[in-house]
């Protein structure tokens, strides 16, 4: 069985930087299979990367190596992290991209990659995707242990994701992500929602809860528990972000039906 | 030999939905190789997906599993389809994305995937790419038979692709697709075309037939039989859709040379 | 060990042309692993393709087959090239996309692919990615020798990349590439640079040399030796191309510090 490595970056593909990472991996570990997760994370958007990564890291089989390179601090003193979580390996800069993995893993240990035998030589200051994270992925996919890369890290950097609040029967949260379809993903988990609630987003809209986008008429607003088990607002066959003219950070309220 | 699974979606990659599908597939079938066909189909555009799929489904070797998730009706009563056609397997929603496969296959049988052992559990109402189509692909790539997934389907949904018409020596068709280069792909097959015809597109243009884009001067309009064996109109080193300001649905005529 | 084939095109993925290439490869060589390098090269931009290819072709292990299809001259008399360089195989049109490979390889031999047994039959005039380059890649990844495809080529087409000039202590070059982040990549190699120089780009800006983007304040201009060992100008956490409103072809000067 070939080991699998996934790649998540904000590089786009046109420059050849992603292909350079793939070359650097297969140079060391020629038999790995590399799956592109995405290279279209908005430049520097560690928050978007954390949310995308949450959607797949534990669906992959045990032993998978997930590489995440959203790295605006490349060349600074930020650590290069190797995280072992629920029998998957995650590799990337210590800048918060693993926040949701750490929050959700049953158990994890993290290491600061410092031993230069795991890096490319010479080592650039500007492209650790190729020179640090790709070789690390190759070595770990080839059977080296995470603990070999360097000392343990007790408290990796975590991004501060906003938490929803409850006030009586009212729940207030916010839009934390807008997806490719313009669907508005909130931070309100299914456990805080009852079917007798309506959703207010922006200032005017009171949307009842549905089970599926196909329940609404074309062009109508829909609110439902999405496949990540959080509240999501969309427009049937349309783009909710455009429709409501709102985006990340917008307030969402769940209000009891009168 | 590893089984191969291809993915065609309208998801984009940035949200992690595609990676979630890849994870769900490899969780069940860790040795499959996954090829991205595309994740850039315009949202909900089943017609564009049908045309893209036509270009590759039978070029892949026998036994390949092609997954197509353009699924605006997710969560509705639309069937999840498994089609066995010319020894390839196709998996996706029953909404017409397989129209051209069914039209062109020498033989096919279709099944409605209903047996929950082939699905992820729990099953969401919003993300059948991950919960239905990916697990189906993994099980079928692992040797389960298409007929096991559920009852046969005699008449899968078919999209109504417009047919060209002939009136005397004149042939009338339409643009059914605009590609990445702005080339205008018509529905007029090579079999309806003779070299003594000229092409009228928009209202003013009479273009003689060429054999290759490189025959024209830079910036000039070219009409030729394309690699799908249909009439295509382009501009040498340019973008015909911008040049003529027309797109899908525009009328195309083939007129005998005087 | 599976042979690896990489693909670099200007096709985008949405039309299914890339998937058709993958199908045409795996039809002949079902066990190859195909890595997407990129399909987002700007249409017809052989120069951008040459620069992207330079970033990865020799990082991949010996024996890798790199396919490059940026081919505005498809259907003309331009040759189909197979280049063997430093134990990698490169396949693509003879239009300059291999310029930097030829410039940097320790040794190379090139062949004009002419023997039709290596092509798909029938052979279209518009899609040599599918009909010529993909089958060539499959056959060469399956162990056929480059020299079998046709006669040798002594002088493949080369693009004319501008060279930097030195006048006393002053070095003048130009921006040859703008990357996904808006970083401005010049043609001035590290060997022409000393740390006592400042960089002038546009008309007003005198930027000292840094070691990493993280050295600058957010929004400030940075000049450094990049991971390709050439001078690059960027903006910390920003887009230098937008900031300076310049692009490919802009003049860059290195001026001694007073």
């Amino acid at each position: 069985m070939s080991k699998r490595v996934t790649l998540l970056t904000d590089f786009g593909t046109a420059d050849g930087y992603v292909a350079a990472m793939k070359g650097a991996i297969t140079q060391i570990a020629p038999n790995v299979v590399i799956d592109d997760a995405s290279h279209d994370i908005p430049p520097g958007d560690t928050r978007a990367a954390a949310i995308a990564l949450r959607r797949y890291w534990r669906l992959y089989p045990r032993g998978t190596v997930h590489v995440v390179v959203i790295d605006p601090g490349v060349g600074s003193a930020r650590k290069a992290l190797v995280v072992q979580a629920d029998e998957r390996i995650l590799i990337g800069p210590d800048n918060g991209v693993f926040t949701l993995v750490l929050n959700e893993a049953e158990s994890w240990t993290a290491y600061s990659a410092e031993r230069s035998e795991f890096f490319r030589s010479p080592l650039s200051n500007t492209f650790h995707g190729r020179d640090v994270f790709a070789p690390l992925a190759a070595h770990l996919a080839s059977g080296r242990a995470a603990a070999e890369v360097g000392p343990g890290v007790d408290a990796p950097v975590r991004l501060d994701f906003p938490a929803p609040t409850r006030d009586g029967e009212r729940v207030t949260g916010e839009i934390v992500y807008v997806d490719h379809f313009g669907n508005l993903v909130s931070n309100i988990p299914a456990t805080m929602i009852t079917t007798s609630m309506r959703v207010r987003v922006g200032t005017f809209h009171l949307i009842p809860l549905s089970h599926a986008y196909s329940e609404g008429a074309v062009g109508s607003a829909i609110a439902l528990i999405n496949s990540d088990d959080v509240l999501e607002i969309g427009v049937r066959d349309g783009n909710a972000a455009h429709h409501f003219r709102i985006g990340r950070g917008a307030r969402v309220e769940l209000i009891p039906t009168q």
Side-chain angles (χ1 to χ4, degrees), chain A residues 26 41 81 227 245:
Chain A
T26 57
I41 298 295
L81 221 56
S227 57
R245 296 187 190 173

Side-chain angles (χ1 to χ4, degrees), chain A residues 4-9 21 25 53 56-57 63-71 79-85 88-95 97-98 101 109 111 113 118-119 128-129 132-142 144-146 149:
Chain A
R4 229 171 183 100
V5 174
T6 77
L7 302 182
L8 183 72
T9 78
M21 287 186 64
I25 291 169
L53 178 62
Y56 66 84
W57 75 278
T64 301
V65 176
H66 296 297
V67 182
V68 180
V69 191
I70 285 79
D71 194 17
K79 293 185 183 74
L81 221 56
V82 172
V83 179
Q84 190 147 28
R88 282 81 179 171
I89 301 282
L90 300 109
I91 298 172
D94 184 22
N95 60 12
V97 291
F98 299 127
V101 168
T109 48
Y111 304 92
F118 286 92
F119 304 157
H128 284 193
V132 171
F133 301 117
L136 275 169
H139 288 299
L140 293 170
S142 301
R144 300 293 295 270
V149 304

Side-chain angles (χ1 to χ4, degrees), chain A residues 131-213:
Chain A
D131 298 344
V132 171
F133 301 117
L136 275 169
H139 288 299
L140 293 170
S142 301
R144 300 293 295 270
E148 294 182 60
V149 304
V153 176
D154 288 338
V157 172
R158 295 196 193 212
L159 300 172
D160 190 26
F161 280 90
T165 58
R166 182 190 292 279
D167 176 15
E169 292 188 73
R170 190 174 284 228
V171 176
T172 303
E174 68 180 71
I175 299 304
V176 291
Y177 192 80
V178 179
D179 78 8
H180 180 69
F181 298 95
N183 295 325
L184 304 162
V185 180
S186 82
N187 61 344
I188 303 176
T191 50
M192 292 180 84
I193 306 173
T194 63
T195 51
S196 62
M197 289 168 151
R198 286 173 172 251
V199 176
R200 182 151 70 185
V201 64
T203 43
F204 302 105
H205 309 282
L206 281 172
I207 312 167
L209 286 162
S210 300
H211 293 287
Y213 281 115

